[in-house]
């Protein structure tokens, strides 16, 4: 995670893990170790849209099993975001 990709409430992130490709999350709150997120879109039919999940902040980075920042907290799209 770079300094410009600090996890903040209001951001939208995309899941890079292949079985979850297409899942997007909005950050609701951030603690010392976790981001509390709401699922916006789900790859599974009848997926848990609206469900909340807790993700370790160390996973909020663009790796094959991590996440990619799509929209900043102010709603602007990240250049190069998926």
């Amino acid at each position: 995670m770079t300094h410009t990709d600090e996890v903040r409430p209001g951001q939208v992130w995309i899941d890079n893990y292949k079985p979850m490709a297409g899942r997007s999350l909005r950050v609701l709150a951030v603690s010392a170790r976790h981001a509390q997120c709401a699922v916006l879109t789900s790859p599974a039919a009848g997926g848990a849209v609206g469900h909340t999940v807790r993700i370790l902040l160390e996973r909020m980075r663009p790796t094959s099993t991590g996440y990619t920042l799509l929209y900043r907290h102010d709603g602007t799209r990240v250049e190069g975001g998926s």
Side-chain angles (χ1 to χ4, degrees):
M1 180 168 53
T2 67
H3 181 265
T4 57
D5 291 344
E6 179 181 342
V7 180
R8 298 173 66 176
Q11 291 174 331
V12 175
W13 291 73
I14 300 275
D15 199 330
N16 294 335
Y17 185 52
K18 287 192 187 282
M20 299 304 286
R23 182 171 84 152
S24 62
L25 309 158
R26 178 177 309 279
V27 178
L28 302 174
V30 179
S31 69
R33 294 196 60 215
H34 296 92
Q36 186 76 23
C37 303
V39 177
L40 299 177
T41 58
S42 176
V49 174
H51 180 76
T52 59
V53 294
R54 190 174 74 157
I55 301 167
L56 282 169
L57 290 176
E58 62 194 44
R59 291 198 57 225
M60 303 295 277
R61 62 186 193 277
T63 63
S64 64
T65 59
Y67 297 84
T68 301
L69 181 61
L70 184 61
Y71 288 98
R72 293 179 184 89
H73 69 285
D74 63 5
T76 59
R77 189 174 176 97
V78 174
E79 189 173 320
S82 295

